[in-house]
Short mmCIF file of all heavy atoms in Angstrom, two decimals:
data_model
loop_
_atom_site.label_atom_id
_atom_site.label_comp_id
_atom_site.label_asym_id
_atom_site.label_seq_id
_atom_site.Cartn_x
_atom_site.Cartn_y
_atom_site.Cartn_z
N TYR C 655 -100.85 76.11 -20.95
CA TYR C 655 -99.46 75.95 -20.57
C TYR C 655 -99.35 76.02 -19.05
O TYR C 655 -100.32 76.38 -18.35
CB TYR C 655 -98.57 76.99 -21.24
CG TYR C 655 -98.88 78.45 -20.90
CD1 TYR C 655 -98.27 79.08 -19.81
CD2 TYR C 655 -99.78 79.17 -21.68
CE1 TYR C 655 -98.56 80.40 -19.51
CE2 TYR C 655 -100.07 80.48 -21.38
CZ TYR C 655 -99.46 81.11 -20.29
OH TYR C 655 -99.74 82.40 -19.99
N TRP C 656 -98.18 75.68 -18.52
CA TRP C 656 -97.95 75.62 -17.07
C TRP C 656 -96.91 76.67 -16.66
O TRP C 656 -96.00 77.00 -17.43
CB TRP C 656 -97.45 74.24 -16.64
CG TRP C 656 -98.50 73.17 -16.70
CD1 TRP C 656 -98.90 72.49 -17.79
CD2 TRP C 656 -99.27 72.66 -15.60
NE1 TRP C 656 -99.88 71.58 -17.48
CE2 TRP C 656 -100.13 71.65 -16.11
CE3 TRP C 656 -99.33 72.94 -14.23
CZ2 TRP C 656 -101.01 70.93 -15.33
CZ3 TRP C 656 -100.22 72.23 -13.44
CH2 TRP C 656 -101.05 71.25 -13.99
N GLU C 657 -97.10 77.16 -15.43
CA GLU C 657 -96.12 78.06 -14.81
C GLU C 657 -95.65 77.49 -13.49
O GLU C 657 -96.41 76.81 -12.79
CB GLU C 657 -96.72 79.45 -14.59
CG GLU C 657 -97.00 80.22 -15.86
CD GLU C 657 -97.58 81.60 -15.56
OE1 GLU C 657 -97.91 81.86 -14.37
OE2 GLU C 657 -97.70 82.42 -16.50
N LYS C 658 -94.38 77.73 -13.20
CA LYS C 658 -93.81 77.32 -11.91
C LYS C 658 -93.23 78.56 -11.25
O LYS C 658 -92.30 79.19 -11.78
CB LYS C 658 -92.71 76.28 -12.12
CG LYS C 658 -92.04 75.83 -10.82
CD LYS C 658 -90.97 74.78 -11.09
CE LYS C 658 -90.28 74.35 -9.82
NZ LYS C 658 -89.22 73.33 -10.07
N ASN C 659 -93.86 78.93 -10.12
CA ASN C 659 -93.47 80.15 -9.39
C ASN C 659 -93.51 81.36 -10.31
O ASN C 659 -92.61 82.23 -10.30
CB ASN C 659 -92.08 79.99 -8.77
CG ASN C 659 -92.04 78.89 -7.73
OD1 ASN C 659 -93.04 78.63 -7.05
ND2 ASN C 659 -90.89 78.24 -7.60
N GLY C 660 -94.53 81.40 -11.19
CA GLY C 660 -94.73 82.55 -12.07
C GLY C 660 -93.93 82.51 -13.35
O GLY C 660 -94.07 83.40 -14.18
N HIS C 661 -93.11 81.47 -13.58
CA HIS C 661 -92.31 81.36 -14.81
C HIS C 661 -92.88 80.26 -15.69
O HIS C 661 -93.14 79.15 -15.21
CB HIS C 661 -90.84 81.07 -14.46
CG HIS C 661 -90.19 82.14 -13.61
ND1 HIS C 661 -89.79 83.36 -14.13
CD2 HIS C 661 -89.91 82.17 -12.27
CE1 HIS C 661 -89.26 84.10 -13.15
NE2 HIS C 661 -89.33 83.39 -12.01
N ARG C 662 -93.02 80.56 -16.97
CA ARG C 662 -93.62 79.61 -17.91
C ARG C 662 -92.66 78.44 -18.18
O ARG C 662 -91.46 78.63 -18.39
CB ARG C 662 -93.97 80.31 -19.22
CG ARG C 662 -94.67 79.40 -20.23
CD ARG C 662 -95.22 80.22 -21.37
NE ARG C 662 -95.87 79.38 -22.37
CZ ARG C 662 -96.57 79.85 -23.41
NH1 ARG C 662 -96.71 81.17 -23.57
NH2 ARG C 662 -97.14 79.03 -24.27
N LEU C 663 -93.21 77.20 -18.15
CA LEU C 663 -92.42 76.00 -18.41
C LEU C 663 -92.43 75.67 -19.91
O LEU C 663 -93.38 75.99 -20.62
CB LEU C 663 -92.98 74.80 -17.63
CG LEU C 663 -92.95 74.94 -16.10
CD1 LEU C 663 -93.62 73.73 -15.47
CD2 LEU C 663 -91.51 75.07 -15.60
N THR C 664 -91.39 75.01 -20.35
CA THR C 664 -91.30 74.61 -21.76
C THR C 664 -92.21 73.41 -22.02
O THR C 664 -92.67 72.73 -21.09
CB THR C 664 -89.85 74.26 -22.13
OG1 THR C 664 -89.43 73.15 -21.32
CG2 THR C 664 -88.93 75.45 -21.92
N LEU C 665 -92.44 73.13 -23.33
CA LEU C 665 -93.35 72.04 -23.71
C LEU C 665 -92.83 70.67 -23.30
O LEU C 665 -93.61 69.71 -23.23
CB LEU C 665 -93.56 72.06 -25.23
CG LEU C 665 -94.42 73.22 -25.76
CD1 LEU C 665 -94.40 73.22 -27.28
CD2 LEU C 665 -95.84 73.12 -25.24
N THR C 666 -91.53 70.56 -23.03
CA THR C 666 -90.99 69.25 -22.65
C THR C 666 -91.44 68.82 -21.26
O THR C 666 -91.32 67.64 -20.92
CB THR C 666 -89.45 69.29 -22.70
OG1 THR C 666 -88.98 70.33 -21.83
CG2 THR C 666 -88.97 69.55 -24.12
N HIS C 667 -91.96 69.74 -20.47
CA HIS C 667 -92.36 69.41 -19.10
C HIS C 667 -93.80 68.90 -19.01
O HIS C 667 -94.15 68.24 -18.02
CB HIS C 667 -92.21 70.63 -18.18
CG HIS C 667 -90.79 71.01 -17.90
ND1 HIS C 667 -90.03 71.72 -18.81
CD2 HIS C 667 -89.99 70.76 -16.83
CE1 HIS C 667 -88.82 71.92 -18.31
NE2 HIS C 667 -88.76 71.34 -17.11
N TYR C 668 -94.63 69.17 -20.00
CA TYR C 668 -96.05 68.79 -19.89
C TYR C 668 -96.56 68.31 -21.24
O TYR C 668 -95.92 68.51 -22.29
CB TYR C 668 -96.90 69.96 -19.38
CG TYR C 668 -96.85 71.20 -20.22
CD1 TYR C 668 -97.76 71.41 -21.27
CD2 TYR C 668 -95.89 72.18 -19.99
CE1 TYR C 668 -97.71 72.55 -22.04
CE2 TYR C 668 -95.83 73.33 -20.76
CZ TYR C 668 -96.74 73.52 -21.78
OH TYR C 668 -96.69 74.63 -22.57
N THR C 669 -97.73 67.66 -21.19
CA THR C 669 -98.37 67.11 -22.40
C THR C 669 -99.83 67.51 -22.41
O THR C 669 -100.55 67.29 -21.42
CB THR C 669 -98.26 65.57 -22.42
OG1 THR C 669 -96.89 65.20 -22.33
CG2 THR C 669 -98.85 65.01 -23.70
N ASN C 670 -100.28 68.07 -23.54
CA ASN C 670 -101.67 68.48 -23.70
C ASN C 670 -102.41 67.48 -24.57
O ASN C 670 -101.90 67.04 -25.61
CB ASN C 670 -101.76 69.87 -24.34
CG ASN C 670 -101.23 70.96 -23.41
OD1 ASN C 670 -101.17 70.76 -22.19
ND2 ASN C 670 -100.84 72.08 -23.97
#
Side-chain angles (χ1 to χ4, degrees):
Y655 62 90
W656 288 81
E657 291 181 351
K658 179 179 179 181
N659 297 329
H661 300 284
R662 183 169 178 172
L663 298 176
T664 61
L665 289 173
T666 58
H667 290 79
Y668 58 90
T669 303
N670 292 338

